[in-house]
Amino acid sequence: MRTVSTKSAICEAHSKLILVGEHAVVYGKPAIAIPFPLKVRVIIQKAVGPIMFESSIYTGPIDKIPAKMEGIKACIEETLRYANQPFENLRIRIDSDIPLGRGLGSSAAIAIAIVRSLFSLFEQKLSKEHLFSLVQIAETYAHGKPSGIDTVAEISEHPIWFQKEKEIVPLTIGRPLYIVVADTGRNGDTHTAVDNVRKRYASETAKVQNSLDEIARIVELAREAILNGDIYLLGDLLYRNQEELKILGVSDDELNHLIDIARNEGALGAKLTGGGLGGCMLALGKSLEHAEVIAKRLMDSGASNVWYFSTEENILYSPK
Ligand code: PMV
């Protein structure tokens, strides 16, 4: 009789916020992302038989995994092949606080926590580069041709400056940022949004190119504002970035509505975050107290969930 030890491993990953530069980053422009303290935990146990999944989306054997989780399956297959382990004898449980499909990078975070747990279970060393390439297998299923910003931002514990195929630069924040995140409650559709920008680029090249170039300028200025602690300039840049995202066609009425609410509450800046067409928006407050006021208003104005935090303490609050 075959025996399998009952060893287990638990690993976590955090989500991310794209502060400025989403979509343009797909075209090689820079973007800035910061860690967002919503987390996913993955527990992997050795257990005889086919690989079994337990999660809020799907519970059952891996060969019956739903199409939207195919990327996770491919990522596990490749990780096990690399670790020289059979594709069996595992029980994988996913506990995630990160809402799915809301531009917060849930798919990359799940894949990161799974790959980390598998390497920990098999007591093998995992470099950041290898973690990135394994997670990108899942991301390619989820997003088509991802820029890689989600994975890099979620592997990092610091804000990052990201540009495809260039060195990742950790950013220092000159003064704490007080950030509110509101969820429209509707799944964002990154795949469709990225596709729409591509189609628009083909039909209105000059206009879209202009927006992409403007976003790149905004991101450059945002880096300076972050380093210098100039939250007023940063806020203004967030609003300007949102105008360009509207031109690219990736915002929608509900996101625009929540952004207007934040502006009316005196937010220094606000924009959608992530792929758009649903999903989440973020706003910049003057202080933690101000962030709480904005958060309450967003909650009362139809957001399905709202969080706020300071980049200094990285603790997540919800409005009461
Ligand atoms: O996964 P999301 O929804 O946070 O979007 C990622 C950011 C995009 O720029 C829209 C796509 C990409 O691959 O960079």
Side-chain angles (χ1 to χ4, degrees):
M1 198 181 92
R2 269 185 322 145
T3 57
V4 174
S5 84
T6 52
K7 253 186 75 182
S8 65
I10 304 179
C11 288
E12 285 188 344
H14 59 74
S15 58
K16 66 91 192 52
L17 295 173
I18 298 179
L19 211 52
V20 278
E22 53 273 90
H23 287 287
V25 73
V26 175
Y27 295 80
K29 307 291 185 193
I32 296 173
I34 61 170
F36 184 48
L38 278 177
K39 290 201 169 142
V40 54
R41 276 160 303 281
V42 166
I43 304 162
I44 304 189
Q45 233 178 352
K46 290 193 176 173
V48 179
I51 297 177
M52 296 298 288
F53 250 89
E54 201 185 320
S55 75
S56 61
I57 331 164
Y58 169 71
T59 295
I62 197 159
D63 60 339
K64 297 222 164 57
I65 207 160
K68 63 178 169 190
M69 289 175 79
E70 275 293 329
I72 297 286
K73 182 180 167 190
C75 168
I76 292 169
E77 264 171 339
E78 188 52 35
T79 305
L80 292 175
R81 196 172 303 126
Y82 177 86
N84 211 7
Q85 297 292 327
F87 189 67
E88 59 180 359
N89 300 335
L90 297 171
R91 185 171 300 144
I92 300 177
R93 201 175 116 197
I94 302 169
D95 284 327
S96 184
D97 301 331
I98 313 170
L100 291 170
R102 305 291 164 80
L104 301 177
S106 61
S107 57
I110 289 171
I112 291 170
I114 288 178
V115 174
R116 280 182 176 153
S117 298
L118 285 170
F119 274 76
S120 162
L121 188 72
F122 301 126
E123 294 173 4
Q124 295 193 17
K125 277 213 163 71
L126 175 63
S127 68
K128 279 192 177 174
E129 292 72 28
H130 206 82
L131 174 59
F132 176 81
S133 63
L134 289 168
V135 171
Q136 282 307 92
I137 296 171
E139 284 297 274
T140 302
Y141 276 81
H143 291 330
K145 251 182 124 204
S147 65
I149 189 170
D150 286 15
T151 308
V152 171
E154 292 177 354
I155 291 173
S156 170
E157 296 303 321
H158 309 282
I160 53 154
W161 169 272
F162 177 92
Q163 200 165 4
K164 265 201 304 195
E165 284 147 31
K166 297 233 169 110
E167 202 183 326
I168 315 302
V169 186
L171 293 184
T172 310
I173 301 187
R175 179 173 160 184
L177 304 177
Y178 304 102
I179 297 177
V180 185
V181 178
D183 186 352
T184 58
R186 280 178 304 109
N187 273 356
D189 188 345
T190 303
H191 217 304
T192 307
V194 170
D195 250 25
N196 286 356
V197 176
R198 192 174 42 76
K199 285 182 195 144
R200 201 168 275 211
Y201 190 85
S203 62
E204 296 175 78
T205 311
K207 189 174 168 196
V208 171
Q209 187 61 53
N210 199 42
S211 263
L212 299 176
D213 292 343
E214 181 58 18
I215 292 175
R217 276 191 289 276
I218 290 170
V219 175
E220 296 273 356
L221 293 169
R223 170 165 65 180
E224 292 308 305
I226 290 169
L227 292 176
N228 297 333
D230 189 343
I231 56 171
Y232 291 89
L233 174 58
L234 180 62
D236 187 46
L237 293 166
L238 297 185
Y239 283 132
R240 279 170 58 187
N241 192 165
Q242 173 62 15
E243 288 313 306
E244 300 304 327
L245 289 164
K246 278 192 198 162
I247 294 171
L248 294 181
V250 295
S251 197
D252 64 15
D253 289 349
E254 215 169 333
L255 286 163
N256 296 343
H257 168 68
L258 294 177
I259 289 163
D260 285 346
I261 299 287
R263 192 194 284 267
N264 290 340
E265 276 312 318
L268 300 176
K271 62 181 275 294
L272 69 83
T273 184
L277 298 181
C280 290
M281 55 77 73
L282 58 79
L284 191 63
K286 294 174 200 150
S287 63
L288 198 60
E289 292 70 35
H290 185 212
E292 184 180 10
V293 173
I294 300 168
K296 277 190 179 141
R297 274 286 287 137
L298 289 167
M299 200 74 214
D300 294 343
S301 307
S304 74
N305 218 334
V306 183
W307 307 267
Y308 62 100
F309 71 111
S310 137
T311 53
E312 192 177 34
E313 51 174 29
N314 235 14
I315 297 170
L316 214 50
Y317 299 96
S318 292
K320 290 180 193 81

